[in-house]
Amino acid sequence: MSKLKEPTYEDLRKELSDEEIAESFVFRSTLNAEERKQADEEFRKLRFERLKEMSDEQILQSELMRMKLLIKDYFNQSEFITSYSFSSQLKQYIGLLKKSSTDFAADLDIHKTKLSRILNDKESPNLELMYRLEHHSNNMIPATYWYKLHSRKLEEDIKLDTEKRAVESRRVKNRLVFRKSA
């Protein structure tokens, strides 16, 4: 393994001012185990104090941002994960809002039974619902994210539904046939 050469002060000086170099410099820790433990405890205490000072709105906003980033990371993976299905993420979203399904359905102007069917994977969401979810989250979670979550589930269903594929293939007439190439 080769270690990348760290830039020297002269290298950095060509692109940055002295102030920018000083602000970006990170000193290596020289703390021993006991000092590190004490520093971690002080940091933890400070973090909890800041969390206590956050308003409910700030907490909700940070949780929605966390949800959005986790969904975005999921899109970079190639496999389907059940906990990232449309219905699972919608349940999580409703949970963050601390609302009942009935109240949430009223917010989106859909019947509570339809919402229940979507949450239980008995019915697929439509684009209108995805637009409403985007607007409801104040554009924090875009409609395209909701769509991608749903399409991942559809893709997984297509891959795994050999029974339906067999039934539908029997209905096809005049199937294309190609000669094997030499």
Side-chain angles (χ1 to χ4, degrees), residues 126-159:
N126 57 26
L127 289 176
E128 291 79 7
L129 176 62
M130 295 175 201
Y131 295 142
R132 292 176 195 183
L133 288 167
E134 175 183 72
H135 188 69
H136 189 274
S137 71
N138 197 17
N139 302 320
M140 183 79 80
I141 303 177
T144 55
Y145 280 36
W146 293 109
Y147 175 79
K148 287 178 186 178
L149 289 171
H150 178 59
S151 65
R152 281 273 180 106
K153 173 79 165 77
L154 289 175
E155 185 179 335
E156 186 70 6
D157 290 347
I158 289 170
K159 286 180 189 175

Side-chain angles (χ1 to χ4, degrees), residues 158 160-172:
I158 289 170
L160 300 177
D161 196 355
T162 55
E163 187 177 310
K164 184 76 167 176
R165 180 179 278 116
V167 167
E168 294 305 319
S169 69
R170 288 190 287 264
R171 298 182 68 189
V172 175

Side-chain angles (χ1 to χ4, degrees), residues 9 11-22 24:
Y9 173 73
D11 296 335
L12 294 173
R13 184 105 162 98
K14 292 174 187 173
E15 297 177 23
L16 303 170
S17 70
D18 286 343
E19 290 151 356
E20 290 171 319
I21 294 170
S24 67

